[in-house]
């Protein structure tokens, strides 16, 4: 197969990074990104992009650790280069604080982030309602800059990028050899995955440039993540809610919770409210599948269901998906040479 | 009781505030007047990045270490107050980098979370093999000085825009105490060969992705002669110049190149930072801070002068401890004056 035609459906962080990995592992592939939404209107644009992993209950820990490590290493290299500001990647230090001591004192990722250690008594004084804490340095991935940067690299690699709503993967059968499904929450409808469910997250984006640290309550519900231009204040985890409309009562509640962690936020300006649906699943679906209809078959690689942890593992899962695409290509070449006999 | 304060940088304004806070209740006639040739945003304090960090070694000057600690603790106690934003006060973490192991600094237990850098952290900074990480405070002069000015104005303190040429000028007319907070120009009021300029130059850039301070040290070339990057609330300050004895307040192209090239080598992401301003200032450097009383005979009058100058590159870091020490000296003067005045009741 001279130039396998690959369609990547979805242009959030997963779609774009998967497409980029495919151009890297398979330079002779012709890659096209198709998506209904692009930055700044993807779920990724709502997320703060902090590299603090979410734990998937049904994915083996070593695999999650490998994904996170690959992602961290990749972004770490960018953060220390001249491209860092364009890509929106940089280091941030801060604290994860707990009202009661967590059962797991050392999360699986503690040796991947930098300088991980328990907070001192003096540091905990800043959080009178919390009794235990962890200090560390990690990376932040600002969107839209990161998505724009990925798009720029894709275009340089010859990738076509088009706005298109794909209602059925079979639509792509005649034009493409392999379809990569990075549709996030869209996979619920597109491939009928009932194991995929939304976890609604509402956030505020505020102007508070004196906030230089992240602060996160270990319960995952309240967090403060400083971006280049705005600080993301969160949040909510509403399992099963599909509503994309901002809720004013929730907004006030988020603001109050964040102000109790960081009182100086009372002076924040320019509050914007955003909502995203985390595409959640017990395990991330990075998997090959062969769809059949009549006598036809369609090779699909899935890469969706990253829930609250998309940014943290995006590069690791993108690389895995790109390897699966390679396997698909080998399978196609195998069957085409068989067909020639 | 009239007090004249010479100088409206961080030292002059904070000393004035400290004295007024402590004594206006005890001395109903207390009247404070601030005289300065430069006010915010044109003082040396306005040019400083505003990072709380003393020099690496206190050279056995424990008094200064104590004043630094008092300042840090005072600021930390204001961190969660509604005034913090207006004061330009916020927490900041960052890196101090060395090419060889060094002893821990005098301030390691004053700041928060002080620790050595891990090997992976050092990978961020090729060429540096040792370092510290800690959380400290920023106090931005361009916010703090206006905040101090507002507090003083609310308290009825008067400001006079003039270049004071001598203590006589301000000490006549019923002024009992003069606070000499004239920083770099103290030598014009009273010769002090120990006071020398430590010229600095900085480049202000827009680099909102920089969330940590990064200060490098070259033990051979001395403090602040090695690149440093300090992010503020709006701009990031790039620096790395300390020229002892250089009185020039003109920006130097050679220094600009040194700062820019060395900071971009330290943090490659800075190559895309947009330059918005450049500034040179003179750190009022002295082997130790001059914080002491002096009785000055001026004609047939005697004036008490409290000197509070020579804070070098750590004025913001030490200012409140010095202000409180100056206030204590003022208290001593008050006590002495009361003893000289007629006693309130019969004495045996």
């Amino acid at each position: 197969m001279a130039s396998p035609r690959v369609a990547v459906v979805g242009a959030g962080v997963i779609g774009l990074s998967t497409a980029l990995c495919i151009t890297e592992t398979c330079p002779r592939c012709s890659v096209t990104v198709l998506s209904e939404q692009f930055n700044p209107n993807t779920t990724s644009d709502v997320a703060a992009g902090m590299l603090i992993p979410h734990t998937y209950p049904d994915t083996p820990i070593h695999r999650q650790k490998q994904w996170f490590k690959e992602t961290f290493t990749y972004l770490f290299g960018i953060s220390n280069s001249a491209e860092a500001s364009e890509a929106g990647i940089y280091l941030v230090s801060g604290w994860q604080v707990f009202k009661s001591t967590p059962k797991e004192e050392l999360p699986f990722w503690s040796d991947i982030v930098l300088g991980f250690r328990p907070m001192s008594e003096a540091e905990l004084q800043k959080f009178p309602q919390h009794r235990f804490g962890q200090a560390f340095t990690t990376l932040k991935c600002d969107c839209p800059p990161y998505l724009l940067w990925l798009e720029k690299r894709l275009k340089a690699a010859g990738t076509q990028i088009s706005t298109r709503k794909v209602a059925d993967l079979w639509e792509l059968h005649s034009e493409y050899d392999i379809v990569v499904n990075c549709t996030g929450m869209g996979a619920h409808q597109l491939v009928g995955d009932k194991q995929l469910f939304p976890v609604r997250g509402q956030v505020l984006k505020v102007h508070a440039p004196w906030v230089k640290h992240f602060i996160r309550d270990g319960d995952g519900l309240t967090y403060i993540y400083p971006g280049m231009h705005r600080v993301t204040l969160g949040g909510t985890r509403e399992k099963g809610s599909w509503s994309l409309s901002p809720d004013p009562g929730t907004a006030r509640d988020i603001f109050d919770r964040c102000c109790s962690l960081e009182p100086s936020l009372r002076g924040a300006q320019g509050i914007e409210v955003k909502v995203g649906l985390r595409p959640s699943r017990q395990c991330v679906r990075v998997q090959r599948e062969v769809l059949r209809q009549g006598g036809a078959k369609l090779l699909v690689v899935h890469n969706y269901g990253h829930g609250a942890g998309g940014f943290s593992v995006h590069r690791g899962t993108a690389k895995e998906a790109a390897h699966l695409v390679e396997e698909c290509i080998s399978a196609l070449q195998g069957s085409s040479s068989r067909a020639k006999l | 009781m009239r007090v004249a304060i010479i100088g409206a940088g961080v030292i002059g304004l904070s000393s004035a505030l400290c004295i007024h806070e402590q004594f206006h209740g005890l001395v109903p006639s207390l009247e404070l007047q601030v005289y300065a040739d430069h006010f915010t945003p044109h003082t040396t304090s306005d040019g400083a990045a505003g990072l709380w960090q003393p020099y690496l070694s206190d050279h056995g000057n424990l008094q200064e270490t104590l004043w630094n600690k008092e300042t840090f603790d005072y600021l930390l106690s204001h961190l969660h107050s509604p005034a913090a934003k207006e004061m330009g006060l916020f927490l900041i973490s960052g890196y101090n980098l060395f090419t060889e192991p060094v002893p821990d600094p005098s301030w390691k237990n004053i700041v928060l979370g002080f620790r050595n850098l891990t090997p992976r952290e050092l990978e961020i900074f090729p060429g540096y093999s040792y370092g510290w990480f800690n959380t400290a405070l920023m106090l931005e002069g361009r916010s703090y000085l206006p905040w101090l000015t507002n507090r003083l104005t609310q308290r009825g303190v008067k400001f006079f825009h003039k270049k004071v040429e001598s203590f006589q000028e301000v000490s006549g007319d019923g002024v009992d105490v003069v606070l000499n907070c004239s920083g770099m120009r103290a030598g014009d009021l009273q010769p002090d060969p120990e006071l020398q300029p430590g010229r600095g130059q900085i480049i202000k850039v827009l680099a909102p992705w920089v969330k940590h301070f990064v200060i490098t040290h070259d033990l051979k070339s001395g403090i602040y002669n090695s690149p440093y990057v300090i992010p503020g609330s709006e701009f990031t300050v790039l620096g790395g110049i300390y020229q002892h004895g250089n009185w020039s307040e003109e920006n130097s192209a050679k220094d600009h190149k040194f700062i820019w090239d060395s900071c971009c080598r330290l943090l490659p992401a800075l190559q895309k930072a947009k330059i918005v301003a450049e500034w040179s200032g003179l750190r009022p450097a002295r082997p130790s801070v001059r914080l002491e009383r002096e009785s000055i005979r001026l004609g047939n009058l005697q004036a008490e002068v409290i000197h509070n100058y020579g804070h070098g590159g750590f004025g913001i870091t030490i200012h409140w401890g010095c202000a409180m020490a100056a206030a204590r000296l003022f208290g001593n003067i008050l006590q002495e004056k009361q003893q000289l005045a007629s006693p309130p009741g019969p004495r045996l």
Side-chain angles (χ1 to χ4, degrees), chain B residues 60-348:
Chain B
N61 203 325
L62 297 175
Q63 179 75 271
E64 289 183 7
T65 298
L66 189 62
W67 288 336
N68 289 332
K69 178 175 162 53
E70 287 175 339
T71 306
F72 191 89
D73 291 345
Y74 167 76
L75 293 173
L76 196 63
S77 74
H78 279 77
L79 196 60
H80 286 178
S81 82
K85 182 189 173 190
E86 211 193 320
M87 285 166 80
L89 176 66
F90 55 92
L91 277 177
I92 188 163
S93 295
Y95 306 87
N96 276 279
L97 303 171
F98 306 87
T99 53
E100 59 192 270
V102 293
D104 289 344
S106 61
W107 40 270
K108 66 180 271 208
N109 293 321
I110 302 175
V111 294
L112 302 172
F114 181 92
R115 62 173 174 82
N116 286 345
L117 291 179
T118 63
R120 283 176 65 226
E121 286 176 306
L122 286 164
E123 280 172 36
I124 306 170
F125 310 107
Y128 295 95
S129 56
Y130 189 84
W132 308 322
F133 184 93
N134 65 267
T135 300
L137 292 162
M138 281 286 283
L139 185 63
E140 296 184 299
R142 61 197 201 104
S143 294
Y144 189 49
L145 263 54
W147 182 83
L148 286 169
T149 306
N150 288 340
R151 299 287 77 70
L152 289 167
T153 305
Q154 276 171 4
R155 288 165 168 273
V157 174
K158 301 276 185 292
F159 293 85
F160 300 90
H161 194 149
K162 78 186 279 202
K163 180 166 170 62
V164 174
E165 308 279 9
S166 67
F167 292 125
Q168 269 103 312
E169 235 183 275
V170 296
S171 67
D173 218 22
V175 166
D176 306 90
V177 181
V178 178
L179 233 71
N180 177 17
C181 305
S182 48
M184 198 62 250
R185 306 293 163 185
D188 295 348
L189 292 169
Q190 186 186 90
D192 182 351
E194 292 194 289
L195 179 70
Q196 292 289 318
R199 180 182 174 279
Q201 185 166 320
I202 53 124
I203 305 174
K204 261 162 75 163
V205 302
L206 277 172
W209 59 88
V210 178
K211 304 292 183 191
H212 299 91
F213 61 81
V214 183
I215 303 175
T216 67
H217 300 269
D218 180 340
L219 301 176
K220 287 187 296 295
S221 51
I223 192 87
Y224 299 135
N225 259 331
S226 192
Y228 61 80
V229 178
I230 301 175
S233 59
E234 207 181 333
F235 305 112
T236 297
V237 171
L238 310 185
I241 300 289
Y242 187 106
Q243 294 154 348
H244 199 80
N246 186 349
W247 284 91
S248 169
E249 287 176 89
E250 301 284 307
N251 293 322
S252 140
K254 183 173 171 212
D255 291 341
H256 171 97
K257 185 167 163 49
F258 172 79
I259 297 166
W260 183 257
D261 290 349
S262 60
C263 286
C264 285
R265 219 173 306 125
L266 179 64
L267 294 184
L270 285 174
Q271 289 168 56
K272 300 284 170 67
K274 182 167 173 233
I275 296 176
V276 296
E278 192 129 11
W279 180 83
S280 300
L282 307 177
R283 301 175 184 88
R286 209 173 177 275
S288 64
V289 174
R290 187 178 184 197
L291 184 36
E292 63 187 4
R293 274 173 65 179
E294 189 182 2
S295 294
I296 293 194
R297 184 119 245 141
L298 302 162
N300 56 358
L301 292 168
Q302 181 147 304
E304 290 299 313
V305 178
I306 298 173
H307 297 286
N308 186 4
Y309 68 85
H311 306 81
F314 50 91
I316 284 166
T317 298
I318 204 171
H319 82 277
W320 194 252
C322 289
M324 295 211 287
R328 282 192 290 277
L329 292 176
F330 182 76
N332 293 344
I333 295 171
L334 280 184
Q335 281 196 312
E336 287 161 23
K337 285 194 184 296
Q338 279 170 9
Q339 280 168 7
L340 291 169
S342 25
R347 279 196 176 166
L348 293 171

Side-chain angles (χ1 to χ4, degrees), chain A residues 250-318:
Chain A
T250 303
R252 271 191 300 278
D253 178 58
I254 292 169
F255 190 69
D256 288 342
R257 280 188 275 125
C258 287
C259 287
S260 75
L261 274 185
E262 177 52 72
S264 71
L265 285 170
R266 290 272 166 215
Q269 303 279 305
I271 298 175
E272 283 175 61
V273 190
K274 296 209 177 252
V275 179
L277 306 179
R278 299 175 184 86
S280 309
R281 219 170 171 274
Q282 293 292 94
C283 61
V284 183
R285 191 178 184 198
V286 189
Q287 195 178 52
R288 278 175 59 189
E289 189 182 10
V290 181
L291 300 181
R292 291 173 203 279
Q293 206 181 68
K297 70 177 188 184
L298 179 62
L299 297 187
V300 177
V301 172
H302 297 286
N303 188 7
Y304 68 86
H306 300 73
F311 279 90
S312 298
V313 298
H314 76 273
R315 176 80 180 175
T317 57

Side-chain angles (χ1 to χ4, degrees), chain A:
Chain A
M1 174 155 287
S3 181
R5 300 163 303 167
V6 181
V8 176
V9 187
V13 68
I14 300 303
L16 296 183
S17 58
T18 303
L20 190 62
C21 280
I22 295 168
T23 65
E24 289 165 8
T25 55
C26 179
R28 70 191 201 286
C29 280
S30 148
V31 182
T32 305
V33 172
L34 303 168
S35 184
E36 191 184 2
Q37 302 290 358
F38 285 88
N39 75 79
N41 300 313
T42 69
T43 306
S44 304
D45 293 290
V46 180
M50 282 302 295
L51 255 69
I52 298 176
H54 169 81
T55 303
Y56 304 101
D58 292 351
T59 303
I61 291 288
H62 75 264
R63 198 171 169 214
Q64 297 186 49
K65 190 166 176 173
Q66 180 58 24
W67 287 340
F68 181 57
K69 190 169 179 192
E70 287 216 39
T71 307
F72 195 93
T73 306
Y74 174 69
L75 294 177
F76 186 70
I78 299 171
S79 75
N80 219 14
S81 77
E83 296 197 65
S85 58
E86 195 195 334
I89 313 285
Y90 48 93
L91 288 171
V92 191
S93 295
W95 308 282
Q96 177 165 240
V97 290
F98 300 82
K99 288 187 167 145
S100 50
T101 314
K103 21 181 178 48
E104 190 191 55
E105 275 207 30
L106 274 187
F108 74 82
W109 42 267
S110 63
D111 59 346
I112 298 171
V113 297
L114 300 172
F116 185 97
R117 59 173 173 83
M119 283 166 75
S120 63
E121 281 305 311
E123 287 174 298
L124 277 165
Q125 304 254 349
K126 185 173 150 57
F127 306 102
Q129 291 166 7
H130 295 77
R131 300 193 5 223
F132 179 80
Q134 298 154 340
F136 56 94
T137 302
T138 187
L139 289 158
K140 190 174 190 301
C141 225
D142 266 23
C143 277
Y146 187 53
L147 298 185
L148 282 164
W149 182 80
L150 286 170
E151 274 188 40
K152 187 175 169 185
R153 296 197 67 174
L154 283 168
K155 285 175 185 164
T159 306
Q160 295 295 304
I161 301 181
S162 307
T163 305
R164 177 169 168 178
K165 180 171 167 59
V166 175
D168 185 329
L169 292 181
W170 281 101
E171 279 172 37
L172 308 172
H173 178 250
S174 56
E175 299 162 70
Y176 301 98
D177 303 304
I178 301 162
V179 173
V180 186
N181 172 21
C182 302
T183 53
M185 206 57 241
H188 187 269
Q189 178 84 323
L190 189 61
V191 298
D193 184 345
K194 301 297 175 233
Q195 290 177 55
L196 183 69
F197 55 94
V199 174
R200 181 183 183 277
Q202 182 163 316
V203 295
L204 311 179
K205 306 254 182 183
V206 309
H207 183 70
W210 60 87
V211 175
K212 305 289 184 191
H213 298 89
F214 69 80
I215 304 173
R216 177 178 200 269
D217 191 309
D219 67 12
L221 279 177
T222 307
Y223 51 83
I224 296 162
Y225 294 146
M228 288 197 290
H229 303 292
R230 283 194 133 28
V231 182
T232 301
L233 307 185
T236 64
R237 288 184 176 222
E238 297 155 276
K239 189 171 165 182
S241 167
W242 287 88
S243 168
L244 282 169
S245 311
D247 180 270
T250 303
R252 271 191 300 278
D253 178 58
I254 292 169
F255 190 69
D256 288 342
R257 280 188 275 125
C258 287
C259 287
S260 75
L261 274 185
E262 177 52 72
S264 71
L265 285 170
R266 290 272 166 215
Q269 303 279 305
I271 298 175
E272 283 175 61
V273 190
K274 296 209 177 252
V275 179
L277 306 179
R278 299 175 184 86
S280 309
R281 219 170 171 274
Q282 293 292 94
C283 61
V284 183
R285 191 178 184 198
V286 189
Q287 195 178 52
R288 278 175 59 189
E289 189 182 10
V290 181
L291 300 181
R292 291 173 203 279
Q293 206 181 68
K297 70 177 188 184
L298 179 62
L299 297 187
V300 177
V301 172
H302 297 286
N303 188 7
Y304 68 86
H306 300 73
F311 279 90
S312 298
V313 298
H314 76 273
R315 176 80 180 175
T317 57
K319 285 187 83 167
E320 219 181 276
H323 286 134
L324 294 178
V325 168
E326 284 276 280
E327 287 180 15
C328 290
I329 293 170
S330 304
L332 283 172
Q333 283 169 334
S335 56
S336 71
S337 37
R338 276 197 296 279
K340 282 174 179 162
L341 288 174

